[in-house]
Amino acid sequence: MRIRSLLSLMFRLALALTAALLIVMSVLIARSADENRDAGILAKIRITLLERLILRSEIYIYYTDRAVNQVYERSSQLEKLLAELGKNKTGEAEASILGEFVRENASINSLFSKLVTFMQNSLPRQVTSDTWGTYEKLLFNQILFKAYVLSDDAQRLESINRARLDVINRGIAWLYASTLFVLLSMIVLSYFMIARKLATGIELLGAGMVRIGEGDLDFKLPLNTGDEIADISNGINQMTTSLKLSLVSIKELERRVADRTEELQNSNRELEAFAYSVAHDLRAPLRSIDGFTKILEEEYEQVLDDEGRRLLKIIRTADQNMDALIGALLEITRIGKTSLSLQRVDMRTMATTAFSQCATPEVLSSFEFVVGNIPDAFADPLLIERVWVNLLSNAVKYSTPSTVHKIEVDGKEYDDMLVYSVTDCGVGFNELFVDKLFGMFQRLHDARDFQGSGIGLAIVKRVVTRHGGTVWAKGQIGKGASFHFSLPGRAL
Amino acid sequence: MDGKQAVDILLVEDNPNDAELTLRALKKSKIANTIIHVHDGEEALEYVFARGRYEGRDINSQPRLMLLDLKLPKVDGLQVLKEVKADPRTRLMPVVILTTSKEENDILRSYELAANSYIVKPVDFDKFIEAVKELGLYWLLLNVMP
């Protein structure tokens, strides 16, 4: 049964019970009031009867008009009381007693009237009981006898009235007791049917939620109660089902991402291994070309003319250029292959050392080299050294034709980034082509003007990117260039 | 070649061009008199341990230096190195790895297997001659064996 209908049932039951209680109570109280009033009238009747009896006794001893009038007065009062009582009496026993009472009373009244008439006729003599004749005495005795009957009737009526009152009082007491019982039953019933149902239902829900919360998505809440708790349980069960479904698809997605990542890593590794072995295998024929050209140069010197020797020189130069390219390619693949060994790097010292390596001392002595107070970095020293060597070699190379030989190295620490820069006053570059600058084998200058593999900046970019940083450059033709790279400023 | 005469250098090299260049470089430096050239790892082992094609060779007369390439047909250079260094009769022979591989792994493995030196062949023939000259000079003239 549903909790809402249970609650409404309990409410209606309580209302109906209260209404019934009120009706029964009001009836009982009304009847009790009636009986109490009757008891009052009966008490007055009894007193009036007694008074009348005493007054008659007085007359019997000594006749006075005052006493006679008082008897009449009591009689009329009695009639009024009887009439009042007669209005309410419906019970058969009472009605018959009352009828007898009225009859006897009427007969007493008529006997008394006769006695009084008789007495008055014998006036003006002093009437006392001693002087009463036999007839008067007979009359009086008859009146007295009937008065006893009346008194007896009044007592009977009073006892019936008392019995009635007792019944009503017992009824009220019973009503109180049964109300108390019903109230108690309702409390017990509502506890077992509603409160306990709710409490155990909520406990079940709570325990279920804990299990589901711990990740047991196969757990199902019981639905057998058929109430609102079952509705909630059903909702939760549906929720866990769809949660499980989405979890499955998330896991499937994760698995696919992992698979793809592994595939990608594998193909990347294969590609790198391929590039590495190709680069090695390419070197063997290069070595042969260079070696045998050299032998040709030396051992056939007499046979060759100047043009022949020039052509052999070109072959050897091209061969060695190709070797340099392959070397650069190998270096690039090696950057991807080795894992970073991060440590604190004194960038100021490293930049200075790198500068001293990037050209002959004669060339370098013509340069003004300025290193600012740049911050230390947290990086792989071998790889970062390649960055400095490449950037500074470029700066020297592209400054050589310029009149100003000045290279500045600077570095600053920002919130969580370290930014370093190399600025020269060399030939610069067209910023339109800045995107090509860091690409592999991309050159913005004629190879006849500037020698190089075209891979130096690609190495720079690769190293910086592997460290989680970025590279960028600014330049203007004829006015120099500045190259910047950032590194994460962590764990310093 | 006369099997009984002591050999200066055993060159293990499969690439004929590289072999010729190495031989020329060695001749040019005028350090070695007798050089034996074998073409794969198997032949190298047969020569060193005097078996197969070199059955009957005096095993006590070993080359004074072995120049060993790593990438060889049949038995690769590392295996040759391993067997030579494992045998008490040959383990004292200096073995210099002369190869194109700059791979960290190859270098590490070679030294682990007790290679005496590891040289990467330069492409530039002038540098190659220089390198061969230096290694011949060191291992054949300067180095003192027990």
Side-chain angles (χ1 to χ4, degrees), chain A residues 209-230:
Chain A
M209 291 309 274
V210 168
R211 274 192 72 173
I212 292 165
E214 282 165 354
D216 183 3
L217 292 181
D218 289 318
F219 179 73
K220 289 273 172 280
L221 287 164
L223 300 173
N224 47 16
T225 49
D227 53 17
E228 285 88 338
I229 303 279

Side-chain angles (χ1 to χ4, degrees), chain A residues 199-369:
Chain A
T200 47
I202 288 168
E203 265 171 34
L204 269 175
L205 277 181
M209 291 309 274
V210 168
R211 274 192 72 173
I212 292 165
E214 282 165 354
D216 183 3
L217 292 181
D218 289 318
F219 179 73
K220 289 273 172 280
L221 287 164
L223 300 173
N224 47 16
T225 49
D227 53 17
E228 285 88 338
I229 303 279
D231 290 351
I232 297 173
S233 301
N234 191 28
I236 292 171
N237 286 349
Q238 282 175 4
M239 202 172 77
T240 49
T241 307
S242 46
L243 207 64
K244 207 184 153 195
L245 275 176
S246 42
L247 208 68
V248 165
S249 50
I250 286 171
K251 278 197 179 140
E252 168 66 18
L253 271 177
E254 275 175 356
R255 197 185 56 75
R256 273 163 64 183
V257 167
D259 283 356
R260 293 278 154 83
T261 311
E262 210 191 314
E263 275 172 32
L264 210 66
Q265 278 170 348
N266 282 341
S267 68
N268 246 348
R269 261 196 297 275
E270 275 169 25
L271 215 63
E272 269 167 9
F274 174 72
Y276 200 69
S277 93
V278 161
H280 270 300
D281 293 347
L282 284 176
R283 275 195 155 154
L286 282 185
R287 196 164 38 245
S288 296
I289 294 168
D290 193 68
F292 290 106
T293 314
K294 171 81 181 173
I295 292 164
L296 210 59
E297 254 179 10
E298 282 184 356
E299 294 181 12
Y300 296 85
E301 211 185 350
Q302 314 304 320
V303 187
L304 290 166
D305 61 0
D306 282 352
E307 180 61 7
R309 279 190 287 278
R310 190 183 72 84
L311 294 177
L312 288 180
K313 204 151 260 139
I314 289 171
I315 293 174
R316 286 195 78 198
T317 309
D319 188 72
Q320 279 160 21
N321 276 346
M322 183 140 180
D323 181 48
L325 280 178
I326 290 170
L329 209 61
L330 277 175
E331 195 178 345
I332 281 258
T333 56
R334 210 175 302 122
I335 292 166
K337 263 166 76 174
T338 51
S339 55
L340 294 179
S341 96
L342 296 177
Q343 50 186 274
R344 196 189 181 98
V345 176
D346 179 353
M347 296 293 255
R348 198 165 192 274
T349 309
M350 191 175 267
T352 314
T353 315
F355 179 71
S356 70
Q357 289 171 6
C358 58
T360 57
E362 299 83 64
V363 172
L364 293 184
S365 63
S366 72
F367 275 88
E368 187 191 346
F369 183 62

Side-chain angles (χ1 to χ4, degrees), chain A residues 392-413:
Chain A
L392 291 168
S393 305
N394 276 353
V396 169
K397 190 157 72 185
Y398 294 108
S399 289
T400 308
S402 166
T403 48
V404 189
H405 284 193
K406 185 181 180 184
I407 295 171
E408 267 182 279
V409 169
D410 202 9
K412 272 196 181 68
E413 192 172 351

Side-chain angles (χ1 to χ4, degrees), chain A residues 276 280-281 283-292 294-295 298-299 316 319-320 323 330 334 337, chain B residues 15-18 20-21 24 28 71 99-104 120-126 128-129:
Chain A
Y276 200 69
H280 270 300
D281 293 347
R283 275 195 155 154
L286 282 185
R287 196 164 38 245
S288 296
I289 294 168
D290 193 68
F292 290 106
K294 171 81 181 173
I295 292 164
E298 282 184 356
E299 294 181 12
R316 286 195 78 198
D319 188 72
Q320 279 160 21
D323 181 48
L330 277 175
R334 210 175 302 122
K337 263 166 76 174
Chain B
N15 185 326
N17 291 345
D18 271 9
E20 191 181 336
L21 289 175
R24 270 181 184 268
K28 224 180 163 107
K71 281 163 188 148
T99 181
T100 52
S101 172
K102 254 190 201 173
E103 216 159 335
E104 197 79 19
V120 179
K121 291 183 224 169
V123 166
D124 187 335
F125 191 58
D126 297 330
F128 188 53
I129 289 171

Side-chain angles (χ1 to χ4, degrees), chain A residues 465-484:
Chain A
T465 311
R466 268 216 81 189
H467 280 82
T470 47
V471 288
W472 65 96
K474 283 174 186 159
Q476 216 176 334
I477 288 180
K479 292 197 173 166
S482 65
F483 289 84
H484 308 259

Side-chain angles (χ1 to χ4, degrees), chain B residues 86-106:
Chain B
D87 196 296
R89 294 169 296 181
T90 51
R91 70 182 170 87
L92 291 177
M93 176 176 32
V95 178
V96 172
I97 308 295
L98 191 63
T99 181
T100 52
S101 172
K102 254 190 201 173
E103 216 159 335
E104 197 79 19
N105 236 354
D106 286 341

Side-chain angles (χ1 to χ4, degrees), chain A residues 192-205:
Chain A
F192 277 104
M193 290 184 73
I194 303 172
R196 221 173 66 156
K197 208 171 157 135
L198 263 175
T200 47
I202 288 168
E203 265 171 34
L204 269 175
L205 277 181

